[in-house]
Every structure is written in structure tokens, then in C-alpha cells.
């Protein structure tokens, strides 16, 4: 059996198309992650645009400037300090009547570049998030916050979940009572107090997780001929006539395919994770996901959120690998198998939901769509199954586990029952 597995691995990886796809994707990922570092840009306190490792260092310094535990008392005190600084030079009532762009210009007219830089530190937008309105400047949000509102910062943060539920994803989904109870209970389990800090490496992993669709496609290219090539070349007549053709050989093909998919995905994931942590830093693993997005109801750390995203992409890789084997066992055309994979893996990202909540939830199950921080952790994607509710993470695991469990036997049985002349 081990020899058969090694033989099948050698056979699938020796094809020129498969070799080109596998090597090409690894090179592409290495290049795109290098560009991810080089093209990172931000502004420093002098208003200069810096890039690369200097930009990353600047973002780390900005986050660490306000790092620490955010108690209700600290939140209220920091908001009061921000208000005192801003409204010592601009009129508090006037900014509420102005447009966001006008307030932005006013800030530069009223403060030095260094002062504006500090007042636009991402910490302030994060701290004022419970009351922020779309396209609103931090100063405008701060103008509406009273001391009583600031004192109930954690209550206002928890209310973000209820606001999302009431909004119903822009009116395209009406959450049932079971869904509301699920999300409310999940939010109640979020850790308090929140610790603010830098978690750039873990944040970057989630932002770059969508690139892992390319290893999934490379795996599909490699596995598409597993059975169909035997049919098109006529080798099935010889293989299936041997003593192990309908037993050990089939098992070896499946084991080799899954071993290859696992090893190759691990290599590609290591590039994404390794570059992110090497250049952006591994600190912040234990910070709660709320330090990245205050509206997230998940009781996860930043590191757990990043690794969970990579894990879901691996589940999708296994699912599509097994689907590819099943399709390959049912047709002589390798091209048709691969085109099906391309449509499901890649082109589903181009299909609009058109404001239809049910369609949006179906599309969210494809890797190009769920490999997104907002979709995965803040959009409150839920799937009511009678009295039970699954979130997007649970549904993705369920769907791809089912795909593995259904497709694998289909591939095995189809090949074993193949009738040859």
C-alpha cells in the first residue's frame, strides 16, 4: 500500500501542467506576500508617506501608544480627554452641522500636523465606534457623545450587535428569534475588559487568507486527471483488470490525493502566515478580536481568529479536492472537471447577491467570499436550521465535511464499478 501511494503521488506530480501549477502558485504567493509588505503605506506624524517595514513600525507604534486594558473608567476618561482637546479649538455644535470633508479640513486649519496625526490615531475611531455614523469624522462622533454615554461604553459596544440585527444586513435578511438569541448570547460571552494593542501580524493573515484560493485551484489542477486520465488513455482496462485494481489502487489514489492536498496547502499557508508574522510581528495573539473590530461578537483572540480563517480555507481545500476526485471518476474529460472547480472556487466571488439574503448566505460558503474578516466575524451570517442556529464558521465546516464524506465514496465506487471493454 505505501508503495502504491508513493507511485500515485509521483504520477500526479510528474504531469507538466500539475508541476507548473504547483510551482507557479508557490512563486506567486511568495511574490504577492513580498508585495504585501513592500506596498504597505501609512503616514507619519510629519505627514510623510512611509512604506514597507517603516510603515509597519509606524503602525505598531501608533497602536502601542494607547495599548492597555480598556476599563469603563478609562474609556470615559479617554473620550473626555479627546473631547477637551478637539473642542478647545473648534466649535462642538458647529461640527455636527458640517460635512465630514469640511470637518477634516477644519482640523488641519485648527491644529498642527503632529496634533492632527494624534487626533486621527486609529484608537480614537475604535474607541468612538459604538456611536459612529457612516462617513462621519471622529470629531463629529465625539461631539454627540455625552459623559453619561461614555460611562456606559461597554453597554454601547454590546449594543452594536443589536443594531446589526435590527439592520438585517441592509434589509436583505430578517433575523428570527433563535438567531437573535444566538448572537446576543455569543456577544454576552465576549471577554471584558478588552485589551487594546497591536496585532498586525494576525490581522494581516486574515486579510491575505483569500490568496489561499490559489493553492485550492492548484490542487484541483493536480487532482483532476486522477481517474479521468485513466479513462481517456485507456489505462483503466489494464488497471481494473489487475488483482488490486478495484481495491488497494483506488484507496491509494484517494490517500495520495488527500496527503498531497494537505501537504501542499500547508506549504502555501506557511508562506502567508510566515511572512505575516515575520514582518508584521507575532505579538497580540492573545488580544481579543474586539480589539480588531469592536462590533465582532466572537469570544476569540486575534490569533485564534486568524488561525480559524486559515483552518476554514483548509477545510475548503479538502472539500474541493474530494469533489474533484468524484468528478474525475465520473467523466473522461479532465478539462470539464477543472472548469467546474474554477467556477465554484473562483468565479463565485463575482456573483452578486442582488440584495437576496438567502443567495448571499449561499455565496458566503465559498472560499473566495468567506475569507474576509468582516464577512466571517462581523457580518453576523447565520443559518437557522429549525430550532438550531449555525454561524458561518459552523456552516462552512459542516458543508465541506459533508462534501468530503459524500464525494470520497462516490469517487471510490464510481471507479470500482467502471465497466471496461
Amino acid at each position: 500500500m505505501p508503495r502504491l501511494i508513493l507511485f500515485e503521488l509521483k504520477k500526479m506530480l510528474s504531469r507538466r501542467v500539475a508541476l507548473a501549477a504547483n510551482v507557479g502558485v508557490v512563486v506567486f504567493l511568495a511574490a504577492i506576500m513580498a508585495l504585501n509588505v513592500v506596498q504597505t503605506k501609512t503616514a507619519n506624524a510629519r505627514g510623510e508617506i512611509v512604506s514597507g517595514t517603516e510603515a509597519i513600525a509606524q503602525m505598531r507604534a501608533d497602536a502601542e501608544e494607547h495599548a492597555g486594558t480598556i476599563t469603563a473608567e478609562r474609556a470615559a476618561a479617554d473620550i473626555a480627554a479627546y473631547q477637551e482637546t478637539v473642542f478647545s479649538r473648534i466649535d462642538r455644535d458647529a461640527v455636527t452641522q458640517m460635512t465630514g470633508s469640511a470637518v477634516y479640513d477644519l482640523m488641519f486649519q485648527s491644529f498642527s500636523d503632529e496634533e492632527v496625526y494624534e487626533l486621527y490615531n486609529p484608537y480614537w475611531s475604535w474607541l468612538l465606534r459604538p456611536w459612529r455614523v457612516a462617513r462621519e469624522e471622529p470629531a463629529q462622533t465625539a461631539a454627540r457623545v455625552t459623559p453619561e454615554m461614555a460611562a456606559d461604553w461597554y453597554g454601547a459596544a454590546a449594543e452594536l450587535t443589536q443594531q446589526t440585527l435590527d439592520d438585517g444586513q441592509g434589509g436583505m435578511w430578517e433575523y428570527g428569534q433563535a438567531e437573535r438569541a444566538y448572537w446576543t448570547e455569543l456577544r454576552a460571552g465576549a471577554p471584558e475588559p478588552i485589551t487594546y494593542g497591536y496585532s498586525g501580524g494576525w490581522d494581516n493573515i486574515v486579510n491575505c487568507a483569500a490568496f489561499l484560493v490559489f493553492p485550492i485551484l492548484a490542487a484541483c489542477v493536480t487532482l483532476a486527471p486522477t481517474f479521468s486520465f485513466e479513462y481517456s488513455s485507456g489505462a483503466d482496462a489494464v488497471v481494473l483488470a489487475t488483482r488490486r485494481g478495484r481495491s488497494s489502487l483506488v484507496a491509494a489514489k484517494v490517500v495520495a490525493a488527500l496527503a498531497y492536498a494537505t501537504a501542499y496547502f500547508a506549504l502555501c499557508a506557511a508562506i502567508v502566515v510566515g511572512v505575516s508574522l515575520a514582518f508584521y510581528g507575532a505579538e497580540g495573539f492573545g488580544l481579543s478580536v474586539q480589539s480588531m473590530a469592536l462590533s465582532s461578537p466572537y469570544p476569540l483572540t486575534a490569533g485564534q481568529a486568524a488561525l480559524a480563517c486559515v483552518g476554514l480555507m483548509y477545510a475548503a481545500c479538502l472539500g474541493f479536492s474530494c469533489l474533484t476526485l468524484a468528478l474525475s471518476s465520473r467523466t473522461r474529460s479532465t478539462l470539464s472537471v477543472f472548469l467546474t472547480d474554477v467556477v465554484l472556487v473562483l468565479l463565485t466571488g463575482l456573483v452578486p447577491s442582488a440584495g437576496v439574503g438567502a443567495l448571499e448566505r449561499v455565496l458566503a460558503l465559498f472560499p473566495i467570499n468567506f475569507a474576509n474578516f468582516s464577512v466571517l466575524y462581523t457580518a453576523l451570517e447565520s443559518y437557522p436550521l429549525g430550532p438550531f442556529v449555525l454561524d458561518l464558521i459552523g456552516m462552512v465546516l459542516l458543508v465541506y465535511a459533508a462534501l468530503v464524506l459524500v464525494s470520497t465514496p462516490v469517487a471510490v465506487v464510481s471507479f470500482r464499478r467502471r465497466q471496461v471493454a
Side-chain angles (χ1 to χ4, degrees):
M1 185 70 169
R3 289 185 178 180
L4 281 176
I5 294 173
L6 290 175
F7 174 75
E8 290 298 327
L9 281 170
K10 181 179 179 181
K11 187 164 66 172
M12 70 173 62
L13 293 174
S14 62
R15 297 186 179 97
R16 292 182 180 179
V17 173
L19 188 61
N22 283 273
V23 174
V25 166
V26 169
V27 172
F28 169 77
L29 277 180
I32 203 70
M33 291 306 297
L35 287 174
N36 172 259
V37 174
V38 172
Q39 294 185 346
T40 297
K41 297 182 184 298
T42 191
N44 60 23
R46 297 183 296 278
E48 302 168 341
I49 301 298
V50 294
S51 59
T53 55
E54 186 178 355
I56 294 171
Q58 184 64 58
M59 291 187 292
R60 179 185 283 107
D62 291 343
E64 291 176 347
E65 183 179 353
H66 296 280
T69 302
I70 310 298
T71 61
E73 293 75 18
R74 178 186 166 180
D78 283 358
I79 291 172
Y82 183 84
Q83 292 171 326
E84 182 179 359
T85 300
V86 172
F87 301 125
S88 65
R89 301 189 195 177
I90 63 177
D91 185 82
R92 182 169 186 163
D93 295 326
V95 297
T96 60
Q97 307 301 318
M98 300 169 65
T99 64
S101 58
V103 172
Y104 183 78
D105 292 338
L106 180 62
M107 293 290 287
F108 277 94
Q109 295 170 12
S110 306
F111 297 91
S112 66
D113 289 347
E114 289 78 7
E115 290 172 324
V116 170
Y117 182 82
E118 165 53 27
L119 293 173
Y120 275 90
N121 187 298
Y123 171 71
W124 301 115
S125 293
W126 176 84
L127 189 66
L128 295 167
R129 173 65 182 87
W131 307 282
R132 193 176 71 233
V133 177
R135 296 180 295 278
E136 190 175 59
E137 293 294 304
Q140 292 175 292
T141 305
R144 294 186 289 100
V145 178
T146 65
E148 293 74 21
M149 293 165 65
D152 188 33
W153 187 77
Y154 274 100
E159 187 63 24
L160 289 172
T161 298
Q162 299 304 315
Q163 292 173 12
T164 303
L165 294 173
D166 293 339
D167 179 65
Q169 296 184 323
M172 70 177 179
W173 185 260
E174 184 176 351
Y175 291 95
Q177 290 301 316
E179 291 175 282
R180 284 179 168 272
Y182 174 84
W183 289 116
T184 301
E185 183 179 353
L186 193 67
R187 178 70 202 205
E192 294 182 13
I194 298 169
T195 299
Y196 185 83
Y198 177 77
S199 57
W202 305 107
D203 186 37
N204 194 67
I205 290 171
V206 179
N207 293 335
C208 294
F211 291 129
L212 293 175
V213 297
F214 294 104
I216 296 177
L217 284 176
C220 292
V221 170
T222 304
L223 300 180
T226 301
F227 297 107
S228 60
F229 179 77
E230 309 283 7
Y231 305 155
S232 61
S233 66
D236 57 330
V238 177
V239 170
L240 291 173
T242 63
R243 183 166 59 90
R244 296 185 178 183
R246 297 181 187 270
S247 56
S248 300
L249 180 61
V250 182
K253 284 179 176 291
V254 173
V255 172
L258 296 182
Y260 151 75
T262 297
Y264 186 67
F265 183 87
L267 171 62
C268 294
I271 294 173
V272 174
V273 174
V275 172
S276 295
L277 298 184
F279 288 92
Y280 288 85
E283 61 266 44
F285 180 94
L287 296 178
S288 72
V289 74
Q290 284 74 33
S291 68
M292 301 165 70
L294 190 59
S295 61
S296 175
Y298 283 92
L300 298 172
T301 68
Q304 289 170 344
L307 296 181
C309 188
V310 174
L312 291 177
M313 293 298 284
Y314 172 61
C317 182
L318 286 183
F320 278 105
S321 295
C322 291
L323 176 63
T324 301
L325 292 177
L327 294 174
S328 180
S329 71
R330 303 293 297 178
T331 179
R332 298 167 60 93
S333 174
T334 300
L335 180 60
S336 64
V337 175
F338 177 63
L339 289 178
T340 301
D341 289 326
V342 169
V343 170
L344 294 176
V345 175
L346 205 57
L347 299 187
T348 46
L350 303 177
V351 179
S353 63
V356 180
L359 176 59
E360 195 273 340
R361 275 158 171 69
V362 171
L363 292 173
L365 296 173
F366 292 95
I368 194 69
N369 294 323
F370 71 68
N372 177 291
F373 185 91
S374 61
V375 172
L376 205 54
Y377 295 118
T378 66
L380 306 194
E381 299 279 1
S382 52
Y383 300 80
L385 305 174
F388 302 102
V389 175
L390 287 178
D391 63 359
L392 181 57
I393 295 175
M395 184 56 80
V396 166
L397 291 175
L398 177 64
V399 167
Y400 288 103
L403 192 58
V404 170
L405 294 176
V406 172
S407 298
T408 305
V410 168
V412 172
V413 172
S414 297
F415 189 70
R416 281 179 175 174
R417 293 183 178 179
R418 172 76 174 178
Q419 298 297 319
V420 294

